[in-house]
Amino acid sequence: IAYAEIPYNMWPEMMGNLLSLLEDESNENQRVSSLEAIGYVCECVPPQFLAENANDILTGVVGCMQSGGNPVRKAAIKALTNSLEFCKANFDDGEERNFIMGVICEATQTKDSDDVIHAALACLVRIMTLYYQHMEEYMSEALFPITMSAMRSENTDVVLQAVEFWSNVCDEEIDLDLELAEATELNPPEETSKHYARGALEYLAPQLLELLTQQEEYDDEDDWNVSKAASVCLALLSSCVCDPILEYVVPFIQNNLENETWQFRDAAVLAFGSIMEGPSPDSLFPIVQEAILPVMEMMKDPNACVKDSVAWVLGRVCDKLPDAVLNDTCLDSLLITLGEGLSMEPRVATNVCWAFNALAEAAYEAAKNEHPDAEMIQTYALSSSYEAIVSKLLETTDRPDANEANLRSASYEALMTYFQHYAEDCYATTHQAGLVILERLQNSLGLTVEGRDSLMQFTELQSLLCANLQTLIRYLHAEDVKVLADGIMEILLSMFQSQTGEASNVQEDAFLAVAALVSVLEEDFVKYMEYIFPITVTGLKNIEEYQVCSVAVGLVGDMCRSMKQAVVPFCDSFMTELLSNLANDDLDRSVKPEILCCFGDMAIALGEAFVPYLEVSLSVLNSASQAAAEPVQDQNDFDLVDHMNSLREGCLEAFTGVIQGLKGEGSQPHENIQLLTAEHIEHIIGFIGAIVADPTLDNNNVRQAIGVVGDLCKVFGADMAGLLQDDWVNELLRLGHESGDLATEKLTKWCQRLIEKARHG
Amino acid sequence: RKDDYKSRPARAMDQRKRRKQVLEDQKKKRRERVALVRLVDEDLAEFENE
């Protein structure tokens, strides 16, 4: 109720009433309930609406922390944790901060309640994230000793919070170091790292390594426990302090890889994987070289958890330090180890699939680096084993236990990675695998499935098969895809009409496969239009499952770009659906920029045939660009920034398409360009002038805006001069010149010359 | 933090990622098509000649 009413000032007395209930110290239940209510309210009501109550809330809550029994103290600390966000003013004030910190730190020393200690540590975790810059005076005297001692507690929840505290410190310092690296002399960082993690390293690293060995006897993948928390914290610590971590972790690995107890062997392997990020490749290389073969041997460990970790580490090494495995000493053993791993327990095999992914990407990348100018990679490190890998992965997808531990999905995903990262001397295998995938898809159509679980598994399988097909269409040679096209379309069309064809994931992947085929066949795709057209329209109408609608919009764009004029007969219906979707408030906002891009695709493909849609398109574009021109109020709301930039991108793409489409491809602009009136042009320029002033504008938008200005100047020449005010034009050109992207810089030069020509003839 | 535990070096190519990849591909093709019509190189060469 508070969440609904407080933002509208409809219940101003609520907080005062709750706080007054805290005063009766004799009624413990009432105090606990009130504190819980305050906690919930503080958690859900946006902080700006509670800021004016901050002092009263703090006084009431902190009072309870000092005066109540343990249940009251625990509820009070939780309420305080939820209030921290709007207590900035109180934390900025040294005296108040000291008082609050004193009370919380004291609560961590409670003798008779782990619950209170746990809540107090959770509160410190939150404070560290929110008020990192204020923590200097408390770190060495209080926070460090409190958390280090909590890590030795017998209570698991207490240990987890203490580890989380240091994970947050590392997170914060990694971010601050990044900001420092990106900062310039003119634009220095507002806040800098205090390097607490580096300072604590000597004590923290050994402590985390000890916690790492505390695995449960029977590890459940879904459980969160001390050893997993320590593993994550160690990886963050490694990213944060870099090379100095090695001094502590390397001896631990060396001493424990062959330990009799599996927990120690597993901890050693996990520690090895955790340091793959942070230290420099030069420092890591000799360490990895020494340890990699013994680690591979551990794939034969009797314990599944150890094997699981080994598979994970091998993937990490392929990803982070590929040179250490892509060599004669290592690669053959690695391939044998991973190949055997695919036959092991599903959880191990799933991790092996990830490792195979990383290996394919690494090998392909290495070959590309060797031949940067080659259009095709002729051969690479995996060429001689490619066939065996693909065949083993295909076999793995069919394992009877592939439903466990996500193995079916992981092995199909790995196959896709191989279809994308093959060398030409592996082409025959890839092509052959494509036929297998098609056959499997065909066979799946004849099956009927009953029961919810089986149906879900079945739709997942079809979706994965469609995704593999899509990948193959994109990466096989076009002439081979053309030969298979009839068969592919027949299967996809049957699928849309089958029992599982209504499942959104199947539809999404099937539409993506059709879109891939459209791109390959271009105008030749028209023969399938009478069949796929009604299905596409149904997809466009599917606003409840907006991802399906979104891929259908993408498909229409692909049809326009690839089939050009051949798409004209279908555009009336497409346009009707697209316009109706744009006007529909129930459609997810992410789809709308894609629809605008689709207008651009359609305009450029149709050329003169777009004229009937021009007025209505420009009218919706005007409304959309008015919304997109608004400055982003909260620049830290990254979702909103992304959305606004997508919307701007949609508008700019659409304007580009309209101008290009009307102007035509001839050297002289087609007379249709005159349909773009002075009013339209002023609006477009007004839109660009407005977005240039917004600091959240991304490089993509800059490039597109420059393109549109250049196009307009090229077509309208001197008529544009009056609209090109120095302030925004100079800013736009500056952004283009400084974008760091070669294509954008070239376009900026082009645009600048056209502007000069428009201004001075 | 659970997602970070044994975080996969190459995460699953889930549908979202596939869609993103396709969108990128569409964007690239759109850009190529526009560049083809725009003929930036020709304009720049013309300016340079002048």
Side-chain angles (χ1 to χ4, degrees), chain A residues 663-716:
Chain A
K663 159 178 112 46
E665 293 185 25
S667 55
Q668 289 304 311
H670 191 281
E671 62 187 31
N672 279 336
I673 197 69
Q674 299 308 327
L675 295 169
L676 208 61
T677 62
E679 201 184 331
H680 291 137
I681 297 166
E682 269 171 42
H683 181 90
I684 298 173
I685 290 294
F687 165 62
I688 293 175
I691 59 172
V692 166
D694 189 338
T696 61
L697 194 70
D698 68 18
N699 269 346
N700 216 7
N701 289 163
V702 169
R703 196 196 61 250
Q704 291 156 328
I706 288 171
V708 171
V709 174
D711 287 340
L712 287 171
C713 289
K714 181 157 183 174
V715 175
F716 296 104

Coordinates of all heavy atoms in Angstrom, one line a residue, chain A residues 663-716:
Chain A
K663 N 15.4 9.5 -53.1 CA 16.5 10.1 -54.0 C 16.8 9.1 -55.2 O 17.2 9.6 -56.3 CB 17.7 10.4 -53.2 CG 19.0 10.5 -53.8 CD 20.1 10.9 -52.8 CE 21.1 9.8 -52.6 NZ 21.7 9.2 -53.6
G664 N 16.7 7.8 -54.9 CA 17.0 6.8 -55.9 C 18.5 6.6 -56.0 O 19.3 7.3 -55.4
E665 N 18.9 5.7 -56.9 CA 20.3 5.3 -57.0 C 21.0 6.0 -58.1 O 22.2 5.9 -58.2 CB 20.4 3.8 -57.1 CG 20.0 3.1 -55.8 CD 20.2 1.6 -55.8 OE1 21.1 1.1 -56.6 OE2 19.5 0.9 -55.1
G666 N 20.3 6.8 -58.9 CA 21.0 7.5 -60.0 C 21.9 8.6 -59.5 O 21.8 9.0 -58.3
S667 N 22.7 9.1 -60.4 CA 23.7 10.2 -59.9 C 22.9 11.5 -59.7 O 23.3 12.3 -58.8 CB 24.8 10.4 -61.0 OG 24.1 10.7 -62.2
Q668 N 21.8 11.7 -60.3 CA 21.0 12.9 -60.0 C 19.8 12.4 -59.1 O 19.2 11.4 -59.4 CB 20.4 13.5 -61.3 CG 21.5 14.2 -62.2 CD 22.2 15.3 -61.4 OE1 21.6 16.1 -60.7 NE2 23.5 15.3 -61.5
P669 N 19.4 13.2 -58.1 CA 18.3 12.8 -57.3 C 17.0 12.7 -58.1 O 16.8 13.6 -58.9 CB 18.2 13.9 -56.2 CG 19.5 14.7 -56.3 CD 20.1 14.5 -57.7
H670 N 16.3 11.7 -57.8 CA 15.0 11.5 -58.5 C 14.0 12.6 -58.0 O 14.1 13.1 -56.8 CB 14.4 10.1 -58.1 CG 13.2 9.7 -58.8 ND1 11.9 10.2 -58.6 CD2 13.1 8.8 -59.9 CE1 11.1 9.6 -59.4 NE2 11.7 8.8 -60.2
E671 N 13.1 13.0 -58.8 CA 12.2 14.1 -58.5 C 11.3 13.8 -57.2 O 10.9 14.7 -56.5 CB 11.2 14.5 -59.6 CG 10.3 13.3 -60.0 CD 9.5 13.6 -61.3 OE1 10.0 14.3 -62.2 OE2 8.4 13.1 -61.3
N672 N 11.2 12.5 -56.9 CA 10.4 12.2 -55.7 C 11.0 12.8 -54.4 O 10.3 13.0 -53.4 CB 10.4 10.6 -55.5 CG 9.4 10.0 -56.3 OD1 8.4 10.6 -56.7 ND2 9.6 8.7 -56.7
I673 N 12.3 13.2 -54.4 CA 12.9 13.7 -53.2 C 12.2 15.0 -52.8 O 12.2 15.4 -51.7 CB 14.4 14.0 -53.5 CG1 15.1 14.2 -52.1 CG2 14.7 15.1 -54.4 CD1 15.2 13.0 -51.2
Q674 N 11.5 15.7 -53.8 CA 10.8 16.9 -53.5 C 9.6 16.7 -52.6 O 9.1 17.6 -52.0 CB 10.3 17.6 -54.8 CG 11.4 18.0 -55.8 CD 12.5 18.9 -55.1 OE1 12.2 19.6 -54.2 NE2 13.7 18.7 -55.5
L675 N 9.2 15.4 -52.5 CA 8.1 15.0 -51.6 C 8.5 15.3 -50.1 O 7.7 15.3 -49.2 CB 7.6 13.6 -51.8 CG 7.0 13.3 -53.1 CD1 6.9 11.8 -53.3 CD2 5.7 14.0 -53.3
L676 N 9.8 15.3 -49.9 CA 10.3 15.6 -48.6 C 10.3 17.2 -48.5 O 11.1 17.8 -49.1 CB 11.7 15.1 -48.5 CG 12.2 14.7 -47.1 CD1 11.4 13.7 -46.4 CD2 13.7 14.3 -47.2
T677 N 9.3 17.7 -47.8 CA 9.1 19.2 -47.8 C 10.1 19.9 -46.8 O 10.7 19.2 -46.0 CB 7.7 19.5 -47.3 OG1 7.5 19.0 -46.0 CG2 6.7 18.9 -48.2
A678 N 10.1 21.2 -46.9 CA 11.0 22.0 -46.1 C 10.6 21.7 -44.6 O 11.5 21.6 -43.7 CB 10.8 23.5 -46.4
E679 N 9.3 21.5 -44.4 CA 8.9 21.3 -43.0 C 9.5 19.9 -42.5 O 10.0 19.8 -41.3 CB 7.4 21.2 -43.0 CG 6.7 21.4 -41.6 CD 5.2 21.3 -41.7 OE1 4.7 21.5 -42.8 OE2 4.7 20.9 -40.7
H680 N 9.4 18.9 -43.3 CA 10.0 17.6 -42.9 C 11.5 17.8 -42.6 O 12.0 17.2 -41.6 CB 9.8 16.6 -44.1 CG 8.4 16.2 -44.3 ND1 7.9 16.1 -45.6 CD2 7.4 15.9 -43.5 CE1 6.7 15.7 -45.5 NE2 6.3 15.6 -44.3
I681 N 12.2 18.5 -43.5 CA 13.6 18.6 -43.3 C 13.9 19.4 -42.0 O 14.8 19.0 -41.3 CB 14.3 19.3 -44.6 CG1 14.0 18.4 -45.8 CG2 15.7 19.5 -44.4 CD1 14.3 19.1 -47.1
E682 N 13.2 20.4 -41.8 CA 13.4 21.2 -40.6 C 13.2 20.3 -39.3 O 14.0 20.3 -38.4 CB 12.4 22.3 -40.5 CG 13.0 23.6 -41.1 CD 11.9 24.7 -41.2 OE1 11.1 24.8 -40.2 OE2 11.8 25.3 -42.3
H683 N 12.2 19.4 -39.4 CA 12.0 18.5 -38.3 C 13.2 17.6 -38.1 O 13.6 17.4 -37.0 CB 10.7 17.7 -38.5 CG 10.4 16.8 -37.4 ND1 9.7 17.2 -36.3 CD2 10.8 15.6 -37.1 CE1 9.6 16.3 -35.4 NE2 10.3 15.2 -35.9
I684 N 13.6 17.0 -39.2 CA 14.8 16.0 -39.1 C 16.0 16.7 -38.5 O 16.6 16.2 -37.6 CB 15.1 15.4 -40.5 CG1 13.9 14.7 -41.0 CG2 16.4 14.6 -40.4 CD1 14.1 14.2 -42.5
I685 N 16.3 17.9 -39.0 CA 17.4 18.7 -38.5 C 17.2 19.1 -37.0 O 18.2 19.0 -36.2 CB 17.7 19.9 -39.4 CG1 18.2 19.5 -40.8 CG2 18.6 20.9 -38.8 CD1 19.6 18.8 -40.8
G686 N 16.0 19.5 -36.7 CA 15.7 19.8 -35.3 C 16.0 18.6 -34.4 O 16.5 18.8 -33.3
F687 N 15.6 17.5 -34.9 CA 15.8 16.2 -34.1 C 17.3 16.0 -33.9 O 17.7 15.8 -32.8 CB 15.1 15.1 -34.8 CG 15.5 13.7 -34.3 CD1 15.2 13.3 -33.0 CD2 16.1 12.8 -35.2 CE1 15.6 12.0 -32.6 CE2 16.5 11.6 -34.8 CZ 16.2 11.2 -33.5
I688 N 18.0 16.1 -35.0 CA 19.5 15.8 -34.8 C 20.1 16.9 -33.9 O 20.9 16.5 -33.0 CB 20.1 15.8 -36.2 CG1 19.6 14.5 -37.0 CG2 21.7 15.7 -36.1 CD1 20.1 14.4 -38.4
G689 N 19.8 18.1 -34.1 CA 20.3 19.2 -33.3 C 20.0 18.9 -31.8 O 20.9 19.1 -30.9
A690 N 18.8 18.4 -31.5 CA 18.5 18.1 -30.1 C 19.3 17.0 -29.5 O 19.8 17.1 -28.4 CB 17.0 17.8 -30.0
I691 N 19.4 15.9 -30.3 CA 20.1 14.7 -29.7 C 21.6 14.9 -29.5 O 22.2 14.3 -28.7 CB 19.8 13.4 -30.4 CG1 20.2 13.4 -31.9 CG2 18.3 13.0 -30.3 CD1 20.1 12.1 -32.6
V692 N 22.2 15.8 -30.4 CA 23.6 16.0 -30.3 C 24.0 16.6 -28.9 O 25.0 16.4 -28.4 CB 24.1 17.0 -31.4 CG1 25.5 17.5 -31.2 CG2 24.0 16.2 -32.8
A693 N 23.0 17.4 -28.4 CA 23.3 18.0 -27.1 C 23.2 17.1 -25.9 O 23.6 17.4 -24.8 CB 22.2 19.1 -26.9
D694 N 22.7 15.8 -26.2 CA 22.5 14.9 -25.0 C 23.8 14.1 -24.9 O 24.2 13.4 -25.8 CB 21.3 14.0 -25.3 CG 21.0 13.1 -24.1 OD1 21.9 12.9 -23.3 OD2 19.8 12.7 -24.0
P695 N 24.4 14.2 -23.7 CA 25.7 13.4 -23.5 C 25.6 11.9 -23.6 O 26.6 11.2 -23.7 CB 26.2 13.9 -22.1 CG 25.0 14.4 -21.4 CD 24.1 14.9 -22.5
T696 N 24.3 11.4 -23.5 CA 24.2 9.9 -23.5 C 24.2 9.4 -24.9 O 24.1 8.2 -25.1 CB 22.8 9.5 -22.9 OG1 21.7 10.1 -23.6 CG2 22.8 9.9 -21.4
L697 N 24.2 10.3 -25.9 CA 24.2 9.8 -27.3 C 25.4 8.8 -27.6 O 26.5 9.1 -27.2 CB 24.4 11.0 -28.2 CG 24.0 10.8 -29.7 CD1 22.5 10.6 -29.9 CD2 24.5 12.1 -30.5
D698 N 25.1 7.7 -28.2 CA 26.2 6.8 -28.5 C 26.8 6.9 -29.9 O 26.3 7.7 -30.7 CB 25.8 5.3 -28.2 CG 24.8 4.8 -29.2 OD1 24.7 5.4 -30.3 OD2 24.2 3.8 -28.9
N699 N 28.0 6.3 -30.1 CA 28.7 6.5 -31.3 C 28.0 6.0 -32.6 O 28.1 6.6 -33.6 CB 30.0 5.6 -31.3 CG 31.2 6.5 -30.7 OD1 31.0 7.7 -30.6 ND2 32.2 5.8 -30.3
N700 N 27.1 5.0 -32.4 CA 26.3 4.6 -33.5 C 25.4 5.7 -34.0 O 25.3 5.9 -35.2 CB 25.4 3.4 -32.9 CG 25.2 2.3 -33.9 OD1 25.8 2.4 -35.0 ND2 24.4 1.4 -33.6
N701 N 24.7 6.3 -33.0 CA 23.8 7.4 -33.3 C 24.6 8.6 -34.0 O 24.1 9.2 -34.9 CB 23.2 8.0 -32.1 CG 22.1 7.1 -31.5 OD1 21.7 7.2 -30.3 ND2 21.7 6.1 -32.2
V702 N 25.8 8.8 -33.5 CA 26.6 9.9 -34.1 C 26.9 9.6 -35.6 O 26.7 10.5 -36.5 CB 28.0 10.0 -33.4 CG1 28.9 10.9 -34.1 CG2 27.7 10.5 -31.9
R703 N 27.3 8.3 -35.9 CA 27.5 8.0 -37.3 C 26.3 8.1 -38.1 O 26.3 8.7 -39.2 CB 28.1 6.6 -37.3 CG 28.8 6.3 -38.7 CD 29.0 4.8 -38.9 NE 27.7 4.1 -39.0 CZ 27.3 3.3 -38.1 NH1 28.0 3.0 -37.0 NH2 26.1 2.7 -38.1
Q704 N 25.2 7.6 -37.6 CA 23.9 7.7 -38.4 C 23.5 9.2 -38.6 O 23.0 9.5 -39.7 CB 22.8 6.9 -37.7 CG 23.1 5.4 -37.7 CD 22.3 4.8 -36.6 OE1 22.1 5.3 -35.5 NE2 21.9 3.5 -36.8
A705 N 23.6 10.0 -37.6 CA 23.2 11.4 -37.7 C 24.0 12.1 -38.7 O 23.5 12.9 -39.6 CB 23.3 12.1 -36.3
I706 N 25.3 11.8 -38.7 CA 26.2 12.4 -39.7 C 25.8 12.0 -41.1 O 25.8 12.8 -42.0 CB 27.7 12.0 -39.4 CG1 28.1 12.8 -38.1 CG2 28.6 12.3 -40.5 CD1 29.5 12.4 -37.6
G707 N 25.5 10.7 -41.2 CA 25.0 10.2 -42.5 C 23.8 10.9 -43.0 O 23.7 11.4 -44.2
V708 N 22.8 11.2 -42.1 CA 21.6 11.8 -42.6 C 21.9 13.3 -43.0 O 21.4 13.8 -44.0 CB 20.6 11.8 -41.4 CG1 19.4 12.7 -41.7 CG2 20.1 10.4 -41.2
V709 N 22.7 14.0 -42.2 CA 23.0 15.4 -42.5 C 23.8 15.4 -43.8 O 23.4 16.3 -44.7 CB 23.9 16.0 -41.4 CG1 24.4 17.4 -41.8 CG2 23.1 16.1 -40.1
G710 N 24.7 14.5 -44.1 CA 25.4 14.5 -45.3 C 24.5 14.2 -46.5 O 24.5 14.9 -47.5
D711 N 23.6 13.2 -46.3 CA 22.6 12.9 -47.4 C 21.7 14.2 -47.7 O 21.5 14.5 -48.9 CB 21.6 11.8 -46.9 CG 22.3 10.5 -46.9 OD1 23.3 10.3 -47.5 OD2 21.8 9.5 -46.2
L712 N 21.3 14.9 -46.7 CA 20.4 16.0 -46.9 C 21.2 17.1 -47.7 O 20.7 17.7 -48.6 CB 19.9 16.6 -45.6 CG 18.8 15.7 -44.9 CD1 18.4 16.2 -43.6 CD2 17.5 15.7 -45.8
C713 N 22.5 17.3 -47.3 CA 23.3 18.4 -47.9 C 23.5 18.0 -49.4 O 23.6 18.8 -50.3 CB 24.6 18.5 -47.2 SG 24.4 19.3 -45.6
K714 N 23.8 16.7 -49.6 CA 24.1 16.2 -50.9 C 22.9 16.5 -51.8 O 23.0 16.9 -53.0 CB 24.4 14.7 -50.9 CG 24.8 14.3 -52.3 CD 25.6 13.0 -52.2 CE 26.0 12.7 -53.7 NZ 26.8 11.7 -54.0
V715 N 21.7 16.2 -51.3 CA 20.5 16.3 -52.2 C 20.0 17.8 -52.3 O 19.7 18.2 -53.4 CB 19.3 15.4 -51.6 CG1 18.1 15.7 -52.4 CG2 19.7 14.0 -51.6
F716 N 20.0 18.5 -51.2 CA 19.4 19.8 -51.2 C 20.4 21.0 -51.3 O 20.1 22.1 -51.4 CB 18.5 20.0 -50.0 CG 17.3 19.1 -50.0 CD1 17.3 17.9 -49.2 CD2 16.3 19.3 -50.9 CE1 16.2 17.1 -49.2 CE2 15.2 18.4 -50.9 CZ 15.1 17.3 -50.1

